[in-house]
Amino acid sequence: MFQDIITDRLILRDLRPCDAEVVMRYRSDPEVSRYQSWEPASADQLRSYFEELAGMDPDTPGAWYQLGIALRSGGELIGDCGIHILHDPRLAEIGITVAPRFQCRGYATEALRAILGYLFGKLRKHRISASIDPRNTGSIRLMQRLAFRQEAHMIGSLWFKGQWVDDLVFAMLAREWMGVSFGDAPT
């Protein structure tokens, strides 16, 4: 069972069926969905998925576990973060989506710092990676801010939305995370 992670401005929490409309709204925005591989078909599909997540352990190999990102003041849901535990359970992949009106305020950085602390600290992961479309400059800058290392630029390696696209792979090891100083980064 996932326990909420509280940062200075955010609460990372389980997604609930009542969040489906909000998630559907921002994930349906063309600017948001442009680089997203997970595009829910309907709010009903999201509700069902969130109900399934309620009984799932976030550390389940092979599965994606989606968390809500909410404002600490008022509780408004502003985005979601995915954790994918790979088949080797020492490895994880992450992804993040923030609603457009909440972008460029440091929320994604704050949320992912907390997730990294959770994955490297509580779950004792060895390596965390992220796969990013090279056209998604905002996500590239986010990975750089978090001190991820770009490991690969794979050319035409991913069939995505009807075309072959490039894929950038960013990663960080636990020992690198321990050596990064973010001041008062939440864990």
Side-chain angles (χ1 to χ4, degrees):
M1 177 100 184
F2 181 79
Q3 278 190 315
D4 292 355
I5 298 173
I6 299 172
T7 70
D8 288 342
R9 302 180 298 162
L10 303 172
I11 299 172
L12 285 86
R13 61 165 177 79
D14 283 324
L15 286 163
R16 306 171 192 128
C18 63
D19 295 323
E21 297 293 336
V22 172
V23 174
M24 190 69 200
R25 194 169 26 254
Y26 67 75
R27 279 203 169 254
S28 297
D29 183 303
E31 284 304 305
V32 172
S33 66
R34 181 177 177 187
Y35 302 118
Q36 299 289 323
S37 58
W38 180 49
E39 293 185 59
S42 68
D44 286 337
Q45 180 191 40
L46 284 172
R47 273 188 279 283
S48 295
Y49 176 57
F50 298 160
E51 287 170 4
E52 287 174 29
L53 285 176
M56 187 174 155
D57 181 346
D59 203 16
T60 302
W64 276 95
Y65 191 87
Q66 217 66 24
L67 294 169
I69 303 168
L71 294 177
R72 192 168 168 185
S73 63
E76 183 177 3
L77 187 69
I78 65 166
D80 58 86
C81 179
I83 299 170
H84 180 213
I85 305 303
L86 302 178
H87 292 288
D88 179 335
R90 298 167 294 185
L91 308 176
E93 179 182 9
I94 56 171
I96 191 164
T97 304
V98 175
R101 69 187 184 113
F102 295 102
Q103 292 177 3
C104 301
R105 299 183 192 185
Y107 292 132
T109 303
E110 187 172 334
L112 284 184
R113 281 183 183 155
I115 291 297
L116 292 171
Y118 171 74
L119 290 170
F120 284 130
K122 183 171 182 170
L123 298 186
R124 314 295 292 162
K125 298 305 173 198
H126 168 70
R127 181 178 182 276
I128 299 170
S129 63
S131 175
I132 299 174
D133 187 308
R135 299 169 295 180
N136 190 345
T137 57
S139 287
I140 292 168
R141 286 193 305 273
L142 173 62
M143 292 296 110
Q144 292 167 340
R145 267 193 308 280
L146 292 167
F148 272 70
R149 170 184 66 275
Q150 182 179 328
E151 291 188 334
H153 183 156
M154 296 181 286
I155 309 298
S157 64
L158 186 63
W159 183 254
F160 184 72
K161 299 187 180 187
Q163 64 180 335
W164 287 104
V165 297
D166 291 2
D167 186 25
L168 297 180
V169 177
F170 288 83
M172 179 182 287
L173 299 175
R175 69 175 181 253
E176 294 168 320
W177 170 254
M178 299 307 170
V180 174
S181 173
F182 292 118
D184 295 322
T187 55

